[in-house]
Amino acid sequence: MATLIVNFVLLSALRTKFWEYSLTTTAHERESMKRLGIVVFVVLAIAGCGTTNNYLAEKRQTVEYYRIFDIKTTASRQTVAKAASNGMGRNVSNAQEASPIPSSAEVPDKPGRFKLVNPFEGSKFAALAGGAGSLGVRMTTCDGAVWTSKAVRRVSGSNNLDLTACIFQYKDGYHLDLYAVFTKQEGGLFQVSRDMANAMVGTPEEWTEKTFLDTVRSIRAATGADIALLEAQPELSGTPWLDGMDTFPQRK
């Protein structure tokens, strides 16, 4: 029965999608259709075998990403902050940004670092919220940063994503700290439509990675800075921040 439902939903969605794209000829649309075709093949294979129950099982997964880049440049903090804002703005439209006044006229020898804190630490609520399968209640702080940005992305029935960026100035340049956490829903009858949507516009992982990289690529383009990746989770292969804006990286 589950197999019949999956196939019915899939074929109905396919008929609509192929009709919408039947007259398109651009490279982007052809690539989207190719990705959609791959998803269709995989879903049909799953629907016809013993893994259907696992595919239909509803799950919620919380994923964390972070990157710390060292940016060696003599550019002003205003220039670096504007470039970071422009890069992030390619992917988000609702960012809340701030440029705090430095607490001292002296530039520190070492850069700061973002922190994850639990505002309810030690309370009963924190104990309940931090159970198995959960990261608990955590907030990102950027104490000492010369620029901060927070953005939210909500996709109904699919994923919720929160992203934070911090720029810390120090004597040799800046550190760009990037952190993202998202909760995505998987499985159930709507997974077929999620897979199709991801094939067309990208997964939350791809969107997070592109937002991170566009931010640092924009800084490099505006300042000519020497940029190195210091920390990453998950790890990156190569140096994708040296590539063009619309280039997607490969993860290890």
Side-chain angles (χ1 to χ4, degrees):
M1 182 64 180
T3 301
L4 292 176
I5 294 174
V6 170
N7 282 328
F8 175 78
V9 174
L10 177 61
L11 291 174
S12 298
L14 272 178
R15 183 176 61 182
T16 301
K17 290 297 181 183
F18 278 109
W19 173 256
E20 291 174 353
Y21 286 92
S22 61
L23 300 178
T24 60
T25 58
T26 68
H28 173 73
E29 289 162 342
R30 287 196 297 271
E31 178 63 22
S32 295
M33 290 303 294
K34 184 173 75 172
R35 296 178 69 179
L36 178 59
I38 294 173
V39 171
V40 170
F41 176 81
V42 172
V43 172
L44 285 174
I46 291 175
C49 68
T51 60
T52 300
N53 289 337
N54 184 59
Y55 184 81
L56 294 177
E58 294 189 9
K59 304 174 186 176
R60 289 176 62 87
Q61 182 182 7
T62 302
V63 182
E64 287 184 301
Y65 271 60
Y66 87 96
R67 305 276 185 267
I68 297 180
F69 290 93
D70 181 42
I71 302 170
K72 286 186 166 53
T73 179
T74 58
S76 69
R77 63 177 183 271
Q78 291 84 0
T79 299
V80 176
K82 181 179 180 180
S85 177
N86 291 341
M88 184 172 290
R90 291 172 57 89
N91 303 280
V92 301
S93 58
N94 62 343
Q96 297 182 348
E97 300 179 5
S99 298
I101 297 175
S103 58
S104 172
E106 297 294 328
V107 176
D109 292 336
K110 295 182 179 180
R113 189 184 191 279
F114 83 98
K115 294 181 180 179
L116 297 173
V117 299
N118 185 345
F120 304 103
E121 187 173 2
S123 68
K124 292 182 179 179
F125 177 77
L128 292 173
S134 170
L135 294 175
V137 179
R138 300 202 290 182
M139 296 177 57
T140 312
T141 62
C142 304
D143 294 340
V146 298
W147 177 82
T148 63
S149 179
K150 292 183 179 292
V152 176
R153 182 186 189 233
R154 299 283 183 260
V155 179
S156 179
S158 181
N159 62 82
N160 298 324
L161 188 147
D162 293 274
L163 187 149
T164 301
C166 319
I167 293 178
F168 296 96
Q169 188 175 14
Y170 77 113
K171 66 177 184 179
D172 292 329
Y174 304 86
H175 272 194
L176 173 65
D177 292 16
L178 299 161
Y179 172 79
V181 57
F182 56 88
T183 302
K184 61 180 183 178
Q185 295 177 252
E186 297 179 319
L189 292 178
F190 288 107
Q191 186 58 40
V192 175
S193 61
R194 291 191 199 106
D195 287 342
M196 289 183 175
N198 289 340
M200 302 297 290
V201 301
T203 66
E205 289 88 349
E206 289 172 338
W207 184 87
T208 299
E209 201 70 82
K210 185 176 185 301
T211 304
F212 280 1
L213 288 173
D214 281 354
T215 303
V216 71
R217 286 166 176 167
S218 180
I219 294 174
R220 180 172 177 269
T223 66
D226 291 327
I227 300 178
L229 178 65
L230 301 180
E231 299 180 36
Q233 177 184 311
E235 295 182 353
L236 279 175
S237 296
T239 55
W241 57 92
L242 302 181
D243 297 333
M245 280 289 191
D246 296 319
T247 305
F248 283 90
Q250 293 184 343
R251 285 187 292 161
K252 287 184 177 180

